[in-house]
Amino acid sequence: MKVLVPVKRVVDYNVKVRVKSDGSGVDIANVKMSMNPFDEIAIEESMRLKEAGVVTEVIAVSCGVLQCQETLRTAMAIGADRAILVETDVELQPLAVAKLLKALADKEQPQLIILGKQAIDDDCNQTGQMLAALLGWPQATFASKVVIADGKAIVTREVDGGLETLSLTLPAIITTDLRLNEPRYVTLPNIMKAKKKQLDNVKPADLGVDVTSRVKTLKVVEPAKRSAGIKVPDVATLVAKLRNEAKVIA
């Protein structure tokens, strides 16, 4: 069984994000970039399925600038067999990414696509769902447990009321949640091996996909600073402040 795992290059989660002075976007100059944590979980899950003998080939895919090759090399160091970069300088939105992934899925014919539920930069949480709609495949989002058997994917996902278990007929789309697994540490020998693995580079035009942006970012601003909390001596003072200052009660 072949598995496609899309991965995204994002600002490392340990880095404090800064907005550009002109408000045109986020400053990524000289900023550490890394693989989106949810996508790292997706790669780890695909490797566990491969180690269990369920999956035969894992293909990592990234869409974006040339530097995304570093993210793909990381995916191959974790264990992906090969990688594909859809190179473009255009700022990609979820629908464009979903169309690119559909074109690659039509070409590679995977039985399963596993991707992170969302990216930590834009927090859109849309690509997996849009891809499922474009392909006409069943989907299970926010997976906390995945079992593949008898041509089906049994997925446990967290919902407001507890846990929900879905049975999907393959091919299918699965998006990963934080509690699905803990990604392995990438060792130096595997990093060296990843340099020799196949990494193909294609353009959106090669796939016949128009990635023109449909949404324009007008301005990016930092969230307003929150005022410090205060302690009150008694309930009466609290009620008075809620009524007269915060104006949240009548």
Side-chain angles (χ1 to χ4, degrees):
M1 185 170 79
K2 187 186 294 186
V3 176
L4 205 65
V5 186
V7 297
K8 187 176 184 181
R9 179 177 180 262
V10 299
V11 175
D12 189 88
Y13 68 92
N14 289 310
V15 174
K16 187 181 187 308
V17 175
R18 300 187 306 273
V19 175
K20 292 180 181 178
S21 57
D22 61 359
S24 61
V26 172
D27 186 6
I28 59 172
N30 301 315
V31 171
K32 181 184 178 183
M33 308 293 283
S34 62
M35 185 187 301
N36 179 48
F38 291 103
D39 298 338
E40 197 171 358
I41 291 169
I43 281 283
E44 173 65 27
E45 190 64 23
S46 68
M47 293 316 305
R48 294 187 183 193
L49 291 172
K50 185 178 180 183
E51 289 163 356
V54 177
V55 170
T56 54
E57 184 181 23
V58 177
I59 307 168
V61 179
S62 191
C63 305
V65 295
L66 187 62
Q67 289 85 343
C68 291
Q69 287 184 347
E70 301 168 10
T71 308
L72 290 171
R73 292 293 179 194
T74 301
M76 290 190 285
I78 294 173
D81 298 289
R82 58 188 174 95
I84 303 171
L85 170 62
V86 183
E87 186 187 348
T88 176
D89 292 327
V90 176
E91 183 180 349
L92 296 173
Q93 291 159 0
L95 181 58
V97 175
K99 288 181 177 180
L100 292 171
L101 293 176
K102 179 189 181 298
L104 287 174
D106 290 340
K107 180 180 178 182
E108 294 289 343
Q109 294 294 305
Q111 284 72 52
L112 185 64
I113 299 178
I114 307 178
L115 65 161
K117 69 172 185 177
Q118 66 193 73
I120 62 172
D121 53 0
D122 55 21
D123 278 331
C124 283
N125 183 14
Q126 296 174 344
T127 304
Q129 293 89 326
M130 288 178 170
L131 179 58
L134 291 172
L135 286 169
W137 290 6
Q139 61 175 311
T141 55
F142 317 138
S144 59
K145 183 180 179 182
V146 175
V147 177
I148 307 294
D150 302 323
K152 294 183 180 296
I154 310 300
V155 179
T156 302
R157 58 193 300 269
E158 296 180 0
V159 294
D160 291 341
L163 298 177
E164 178 182 60
T165 302
L166 302 176
S167 175
L168 310 178
T169 302
L170 300 179
I173 308 279
I174 296 175
T175 70
T176 62
D177 209 344
L178 283 175
R179 278 168 285 279
L180 179 58
N181 61 52
E182 185 174 340
R184 66 194 66 188
Y185 178 76
V186 180
T187 62
L188 182 58
N190 286 335
I191 292 174
M192 301 306 292
K193 289 177 184 176
K195 293 181 178 180
K196 298 180 181 179
K197 291 184 178 180
Q198 179 182 345
L199 198 165
D200 299 322
N201 193 317
V202 299
K203 304 284 187 183
D206 300 333
L207 300 172
V209 177
D210 177 16
V211 294
T212 303
S213 297
R214 287 170 166 76
V215 177
K216 181 180 179 181
T217 301
L218 300 179
K219 191 176 183 182
V220 177
V221 297
E222 291 189 17
K225 287 184 171 56
R226 298 176 63 182
S227 57
I230 60 171
K231 291 184 178 180
V232 294
D234 49 48
V235 175
T237 307
L238 173 62
V239 172
K241 285 186 174 294
L242 290 174
R243 177 179 291 120
N244 302 323
E245 295 180 19
K247 300 188 184 300
V248 294
I249 61 175

